Amino acid sequence: MANKRVKEFFQLGDVGNYFFRVFKKSDPDSRPNFNLRMMHGINKISILMFLAALIVWIVKRLA
């Protein structure tokens, strides 16, 4: 019972699954169109920028 609660607590959900799907290597058999590739590229950049800003913010708060 407790193991099930812990598993449910750490479920990623839609946002977490998208995060991992964006950074994995694309399937060579599927050829997404140009707009979809650009959207995923912009999302990768924005996620990385957010994580960098979060790290800088945490370091400033601790120092």
Side-chain angles (χ1 to χ4, degrees), residues 2-3 7 9-10 12-13 17 23 26-29 31-32 34-35 39 41 45 48-51 55 61-62:
N3 189 19
K7 234 181 202 182
F9 182 75
F10 285 108
L12 295 176
N17 289 332
F23 286 103
S26 62
D27 185 18
D29 295 332
R31 297 278 306 163
F34 178 76
N35 292 332
M39 180 192 71
I45 293 168
L48 292 174
M49 292 289 289
F50 173 76
L51 291 175
I55 290 170
R61 295 288 257 174
L62 293 177

Side-chain angles (χ1 to χ4, degrees), residues 16-33:
N17 289 332
Y18 177 77
F19 177 76
F20 287 114
R21 194 175 68 225
V22 166
F23 286 103
K24 76 175 188 179
K25 189 160 176 73
S26 62
D27 185 18
D29 295 332
S30 68
R31 297 278 306 163
N33 63 15

